[in-house]
Amino acid sequence: GESVGLHLPTLSVQEGDNSIINCAYSNSASDYFIWYKQESGKGPQFIIDIRSNMDKRQGQRVTVLLNKTVKHLSLQIAATQPGDSAVYFCAENENFNKFYFGSGTKLNVKP
Amino acid sequence: DAGITQSPRHKVTETGTPVTLRCHQTENHRYMYWYRQDPGHGLRLIHYSYGVKDTDKGEVSDGYSVSRSKTEDFLLTLESATSSQTSVYFCAISTGGEAFFGQGTRLTVV
């Protein structure tokens, strides 16, 4: 299968600071990427997506950056809040077919 | 949860018994997926479907089979459950873009 991984398994940030979660992928043919948030005991929830013809996309307090040259994806969360504490996954997809997920990064927000 | 229902939500079964998990959607989405989630492995694709009676294997399909006889239902069967199949199973649906996930089924094989 595809290799989608995360550099940091756990990230601790202070409430109000910005968070950056990174992800590396190996399939250069992947053309669609998604970030998911998973809270304890729940299924993953969509946060933001980006297609390969873009290098940046912004949502509400979140920004995804895509660097196809080095096959790297990042999720930036502005003014991190306690409710942002969760596990974050990146996922890649080729031709709207199968999604492959990374192993996840746990985000801890300290009050 | 985007009209996705997984059943059962929890199940304990014995080694060697068959188990079927059900995913039901009310969104009429074309694509349906079964993933398993284990510590240190994230979400791994077991099988997926791109239409009624059209299915394909994912990265960890051994020991599992699926069926999709109707658009709204995608069944995952463990023919003979093993302890290594103890996991949390997630169903997801998609129209080809973002995937929406169910709440998960926690399966324990003893």
Side-chain angles (χ1 to χ4, degrees):
Chain A
E2 312 301 338
S3 173
V4 180
L6 296 171
H7 298 307
L8 298 173
T10 304
L11 177 65
S12 293
V13 299
Q14 204 69 40
E15 180 179 358
D17 287 351
N18 297 333
S19 303
I20 299 177
I21 301 172
N22 296 303
C23 177
Y25 64 95
S26 61
N27 182 11
S28 56
S30 290
D31 51 16
Y32 181 55
F33 304 87
I34 303 178
W35 280 101
Y36 284 91
K37 172 185 179 183
Q38 186 176 27
E39 297 174 296
S40 182
K42 297 183 178 180
Q45 292 179 290
F46 171 88
I47 301 174
I48 191 168
D49 60 359
I50 188 168
R51 301 198 187 282
S52 58
N53 62 351
M54 304 171 67
D55 52 21
K56 180 179 180 179
R57 190 159 189 231
Q58 288 184 290
Q60 188 176 11
R61 281 201 309 118
V62 294
T63 300
V64 55
L65 299 177
L66 175 62
N67 185 331
K68 294 182 288 293
T69 301
V70 295
K71 296 198 284 286
H72 184 267
L73 196 67
S74 69
L75 176 70
Q76 300 178 0
I77 305 173
T80 313
Q81 302 168 1
D84 294 327
S85 292
V87 177
Y88 290 81
F89 295 93
C90 63
E92 63 174 319
N93 183 293
E94 179 184 352
N95 293 328
F96 302 112
N97 203 344
K98 297 174 278 189
F99 286 91
Y100 290 98
F101 285 78
S103 56
T105 291
K106 184 175 182 180
L107 177 65
N108 290 322
V109 182
K110 296 177 285 186
Chain B
D1 295 312
I4 308 169
T5 304
Q6 290 186 231
S7 58
R9 292 293 314 279
H10 302 271
K11 186 171 181 66
V12 179
T13 192
E14 293 186 348
T15 299
T17 60
V19 177
T20 295
L21 308 183
R22 181 184 184 230
C23 178
H24 178 77
Q25 62 148 326
T26 58
E27 306 297 319
N28 201 36
H29 284 1
R30 176 183 178 187
Y31 298 93
M32 297 186 76
Y33 309 84
W34 275 108
Y35 287 87
R36 61 177 288 174
Q37 186 173 33
D38 305 288
H41 289 280
L43 288 142
R44 292 182 291 175
L45 181 65
I46 305 171
H47 282 280
Y48 71 105
S49 170
Y50 44 95
V52 174
K53 296 193 190 314
D54 290 324
T55 65
D56 204 352
K57 296 179 180 179
E59 54 189 318
V60 290
S61 60
D62 287 349
Y64 301 96
S65 62
V66 290
S67 67
R68 191 167 178 201
S69 58
K70 298 184 290 185
T71 299
E72 57 266 35
D73 289 324
F74 193 33
L75 304 180
L76 176 70
T77 297
L78 289 65
E79 304 291 347
S80 177
T82 66
S83 58
S84 65
Q85 293 176 310
T86 292
S87 186
V88 179
Y89 292 84
F90 286 100
C91 173
I93 64 174
S94 170
T95 57
E98 64 193 85
F100 300 95
F101 284 80
Q103 290 283 47
T105 295
R106 182 172 294 276
L107 176 68
T108 302
V109 183
V110 298

